[in-house]
Amino acid sequence: GAVVSQHPSWVICKSGTSVKIECRSLDFQATTMFWYRQFPKQSLMLMATSNEGSKATYEQGVEKDKFLINHASLTLSTLTVTSAHPEDSSFYICSAPDVGGAGEQYFGPGTRLTVT
Amino acid sequence: SQQGEEDPQALSIQEGENATMNCSYKTSINNLQWYRQNSGRGLVHLILIRSNEREKHSGRLRVTLDTSKKSSSLLITASRAADTASYFCATDETTDSWGKLQFGAGTQVVVTP
């Protein structure tokens, strides 16, 4: 089946720095990808929709200037957490829809971000 | 925002027993999906049921959907230790933003040998 990868799988950074997370569709093209955030013991919360060739659309309450999304190609979306703070520490997961399917999503393995 | 709730929050059973978890949602949906997540890992798609379907099977999984009650259930039969994971329902609500999912709170299942 289709595979979505994320890089890095985990990252530790200091407060105030920026961190970039990549999401790649390995064997299919994805004009749309989604970014989720998951805090420990909680569910996934949709952050934004990444659109190839146009601006990302953000969910209510998600700061677009803090979480920069760039859909650089049909196989790559990046999420940059700018000026990271400890409360940004979370598990970030991307997904891409199975265009040929009925609505299933292929999820990346996630990126664990820890801000110290 | 999260679409709905799942219950129970946690479930502990022995191998061979069945596990049932429920999901409720709030708005009209195109489909409802169930996913499994092992601790600290990504999500694995289990089954998708469309809004015009009432029941679906896949191996040891059985999913029901009652759109009048806005609820769904996932049944895992003859559970195995490897079924230990968190299970999430997710709804695809809109037609203008296809693929955008709203997740339930999840049910943590522990299967003991």
Side-chain angles (χ1 to χ4, degrees):
Chain A
V3 176
V4 173
S5 71
Q6 281 185 242
H7 178 81
S9 56
W10 60 271
V11 58
I12 302 172
C13 71
K14 292 187 176 181
S15 287
T17 61
S18 295
V19 174
K20 181 185 286 187
I21 302 170
E22 294 183 347
C23 177
R24 291 183 187 273
S25 57
L26 296 185
D27 52 0
F28 66 104
Q29 294 182 335
T31 56
T32 301
M33 290 182 175
F34 300 96
W35 286 96
Y36 296 83
R37 180 168 54 184
Q38 184 180 31
F39 292 108
K41 305 286 187 186
Q42 294 187 24
S43 186
L44 281 76
M45 298 292 290
L46 179 65
M47 298 176 67
T49 303
S50 175
N51 304 299
E52 192 271 336
S54 63
K55 291 182 180 179
T57 52
Y58 292 81
E59 295 299 299
Q60 193 173 6
V62 177
E63 300 175 56
K64 62 180 181 180
D65 293 329
K66 180 168 183 61
F67 298 100
L68 300 179
I69 290 173
N70 181 27
H71 204 127
S73 72
L74 287 171
T75 58
L76 174 64
S77 173
T78 60
L79 168 69
T80 301
V81 183
T82 62
S83 187
H85 290 281
E87 55 265 32
D88 298 323
S89 298
S90 187
F91 195 51
Y92 292 87
I93 307 174
C94 68
S95 74
D98 178 8
V99 177
E104 299 94 333
Q105 296 275 329
Y106 296 109
F107 281 83
T111 296
R112 174 80 56 194
L113 170 64
T114 302
V115 185
T116 62
Chain B
S1 61
Q2 282 181 237
Q3 161 72 295
E5 300 176 355
E6 289 182 56
D7 83 273
Q9 288 186 323
L11 184 59
S12 184
I13 56 174
Q14 291 192 318
E15 270 191 327
E17 294 180 338
N18 295 342
T20 301
M21 58 210 87
N22 304 294
C23 167
S24 62
Y25 57 92
K26 299 173 184 172
T27 64
S28 296
I29 61 172
N30 296 317
N31 63 66
L32 185 144
Q33 305 176 34
W34 285 91
Y35 289 84
R36 183 184 73 222
Q37 184 182 35
N38 290 88
S39 181
R41 303 279 187 91
L43 274 73
V44 174
H45 179 263
L46 296 177
I47 200 163
L48 179 151
I49 186 166
R50 294 183 177 86
S51 60
N52 61 353
E53 297 176 311
R54 292 297 167 258
E55 188 171 314
K56 207 161 182 180
H57 297 256
S58 176
R60 292 184 296 113
L61 306 179
R62 173 177 168 258
V63 167
T64 64
L65 178 65
D66 186 336
T67 52
S68 66
K69 295 181 180 178
K70 290 186 167 58
S71 68
S72 174
S73 68
L74 170 67
L75 167 68
I76 305 173
T77 60
S79 62
R80 305 166 182 169
D83 294 328
T84 295
S86 292
Y87 292 82
F88 295 93
C89 67
T91 52
D92 185 343
E93 302 173 19
T94 61
T95 55
D96 62 346
S97 185
W98 179 75
K100 192 166 135 176
L101 298 178
Q102 299 290 346
F103 281 81
T107 295
Q108 189 171 1
V109 175
V110 174
V111 183
T112 54

